[in-house]
Amino acid sequence: MKIILAPMEGVVDALMRDMLTRIGGYDLCITEFIRVVDQKLPARVFTRLCPELLTGGKTYAGTPVRVQLLGQDPHWLAENAVRAVELGSPGVDLNFGCPAKTVNKSRGGAVLLKETNQLYQIVKAVRDAVPAQYPVSAKIRLGYDDTSLTLDNATAIAAAGASMLTVHARTKSDGYRPPAYWPWIAKIKQHVTIPLIANGEIWQASDAALCQQQSACSDIMLGRGALAMPNLAQSIRTGEPAMPWPKVLELLMQYSEFEMCGDKSQYYSNRIKQWFSYLKLQYPQAAELFSQLRVLRKSSEILATLQQALREETRPKQVRPV
Ligand SMILES: Cc1cc2nc3c(=O)[nH]c(=O)nc-3n(C[C@H](O)[C@H](O)[C@H](O)COP(=O)(O)O)c2cc1C
């Protein structure tokens, strides 16, 4: 079984990848997408989103991090894919699932699922350009409005030479609404021979088992569930329970300290609030704390609130005399 940490723009940055892969259980991470339009991007664009390029394309814990590109132009995607691997990315992933209006309007992301031939042209151009030892993978949804092209799209991507295909088992119109239609992945598997990765709605070890059974796929990708339960990958592998809340608070502190002094410090308050929106699905304590954090704007206020929560959590509980 391979477990991959999903690309999540605005949430899973290098720091989050570092923390989650140290907790363990991941075989691969995919970066937030790099938008490619009509030029070869400078190296700094790649290293800003994927600073792991400067340390051998791996997180501190040694988990490989693959750069993801999003775009519609085969030539420019190929040029930038080559640049990504030259800079140290262990392969390239292509995003054909992004539902964002701005991206779809310029023919990028999920809207390409309406254009099977364009998918083929993109994957083929990138595969032909990137040296054979580097994997070229793709990530799709089941379709844009419906599933009428699911099998055509998957077979086109495989025929173009993709090394692996992740399937987020919902259409663009489904958004992020449950369920994820895992049996669709089993259907795709009957038509392609490249490795498939099942993705969508895995929040607990039991979901992973059901997903694997229904998708006929042993390899999975974890998105929001990985943020809701920071040890989800390990829990799936070993059956360990969810990380205790005080440990999660320590992680939050660690994240805050690094994020606030890093070059993305202006995004800190949004990022931590977004992380909380997932944590509260797993931890009732997070929901309580989030109601305090939600209204705070300044990073220093958020940090102080977290510090206070950690102090309360770790203070020895008073034993009542009998
Ligand atoms: C906030 C957010 C950002 C995302 N960013 C990306 C992205 O940059 N590239 C991508 O391929 N998918 C992106 N996704 C989709 C996820 O990788 C994943 O396919 C989706 O969340 C379903 O998996 P889950 O149910 O385990 O969360 C994003 C999802 C969310 C919620």
Side-chain angles (χ1 to χ4, degrees), residues 134-204:
Y134 294 104
V136 170
S137 52
K139 182 160 176 282
I140 58 170
R141 284 179 175 249
L142 292 180
Y144 192 80
D145 294 318
D146 57 41
T147 52
S148 55
L149 290 175
T150 313
L151 297 176
D152 288 351
N153 287 340
T155 35
I157 288 169
S163 335
M164 167 185 124
L165 176 63
T166 302
V167 183
H168 175 188
R170 277 184 274 242
T171 63
K172 186 262 174 193
S173 304
D174 294 330
Y176 291 96
R177 269 189 317 278
Y181 300 93
W182 298 322
W184 254 106
I185 304 174
K187 230 188 259 190
I188 295 173
K189 206 171 171 202
Q190 290 171 355
H191 292 79
V192 300
T193 52
I194 58 171
L196 296 182
I197 315 292
N199 170 237
E201 292 301 316
I202 299 175
W203 300 93
Q204 312 277 344

Side-chain angles (χ1 to χ4, degrees), residues 54-174:
L54 304 170
T55 55
K58 290 182 176 170
T59 65
Y60 182 82
T63 312
V65 182
R66 191 178 292 173
V67 165
Q68 186 184 64
L69 302 179
L70 181 151
Q72 68 284 2
D73 186 297
H75 168 72
W76 289 115
L77 282 164
E79 291 275 321
N80 284 286
V82 170
R83 172 149 286 181
V85 298
E86 281 172 357
L87 288 169
S89 177
V92 178
D93 190 63
L94 297 166
N95 177 328
F96 301 126
C98 181
K101 271 201 191 97
T102 42
V103 165
N104 284 189
K105 249 197 284 180
S106 52
R107 265 183 94 207
V111 78
L112 286 168
L113 298 171
K114 293 179 183 177
E115 298 185 51
T116 305
N117 184 47
Q118 190 67 5
L119 291 180
Y120 176 86
Q121 297 301 339
I122 290 172
V123 177
K124 175 101 174 56
V126 173
R127 180 64 285 174
D128 287 350
V130 169
Q133 70 268 32
Y134 294 104
V136 170
S137 52
K139 182 160 176 282
I140 58 170
R141 284 179 175 249
L142 292 180
Y144 192 80
D145 294 318
D146 57 41
T147 52
S148 55
L149 290 175
T150 313
L151 297 176
D152 288 351
N153 287 340
T155 35
I157 288 169
S163 335
M164 167 185 124
L165 176 63
T166 302
V167 183
H168 175 188
R170 277 184 274 242
T171 63
K172 186 262 174 193
S173 304
D174 294 330

Side-chain angles (χ1 to χ4, degrees), residues 26 30 104 122 268 319:
Y26 291 101
I30 309 286
N104 284 189
I122 290 172
Y268 164 73
V319 184

Side-chain angles (χ1 to χ4, degrees), residues 117-314:
N117 184 47
Q118 190 67 5
L119 291 180
Y120 176 86
Q121 297 301 339
I122 290 172
V123 177
K124 175 101 174 56
V126 173
R127 180 64 285 174
D128 287 350
V130 169
Q133 70 268 32
Y134 294 104
V136 170
S137 52
K139 182 160 176 282
I140 58 170
R141 284 179 175 249
L142 292 180
Y144 192 80
D145 294 318
D146 57 41
T147 52
S148 55
L149 290 175
T150 313
L151 297 176
D152 288 351
N153 287 340
T155 35
I157 288 169
S163 335
M164 167 185 124
L165 176 63
T166 302
V167 183
H168 175 188
R170 277 184 274 242
T171 63
K172 186 262 174 193
S173 304
D174 294 330
Y176 291 96
R177 269 189 317 278
Y181 300 93
W182 298 322
W184 254 106
I185 304 174
K187 230 188 259 190
I188 295 173
K189 206 171 171 202
Q190 290 171 355
H191 292 79
V192 300
T193 52
I194 58 171
L196 296 182
I197 315 292
N199 170 237
E201 292 301 316
I202 299 175
W203 300 93
Q204 312 277 344
S206 55
D207 297 330
L210 195 60
C211 169
Q212 286 170 320
Q213 189 197 334
Q214 293 191 1
S215 66
C217 237
S218 56
D219 299 340
I220 54 177
M221 175 182 275
L222 309 178
R224 295 160 302 161
L227 299 167
M229 193 205 291
N231 65 328
L232 179 59
Q234 284 294 36
S235 175
I236 291 169
R237 287 193 189 281
T238 68
E240 70 182 34
M243 175 180 276
W245 176 243
K247 279 252 168 274
V248 178
L249 272 177
E250 280 170 25
L251 271 187
L252 283 159
M253 290 296 305
Q254 203 184 325
Y255 182 77
S256 304
E257 278 159 15
F258 280 111
E259 192 89 352
M260 281 170 69
C261 62
D263 62 350
K264 293 201 189 143
S265 54
Q266 72 270 32
Y267 304 124
Y268 164 73
S269 77
N270 286 343
R271 285 188 179 223
I272 196 116
K273 285 178 191 172
Q274 196 155 6
W275 189 10
F276 258 92
S277 69
Y278 298 117
L279 281 171
K280 66 187 185 160
L281 302 173
Q282 175 72 31
Y283 297 93
Q285 302 94 321
E288 222 170 275
L289 196 51
F290 185 62
S291 60
Q292 296 173 42
L293 290 180
R294 208 166 41 90
V295 291
L296 303 179
R297 295 266 173 277
K298 287 195 194 141
S299 305
S300 55
E301 294 171 338
I302 296 176
L303 188 61
T305 309
L306 289 175
Q307 277 163 338
Q308 176 63 20
L310 186 59
R311 269 196 299 274
E312 280 170 20
E313 213 42 68
T314 50

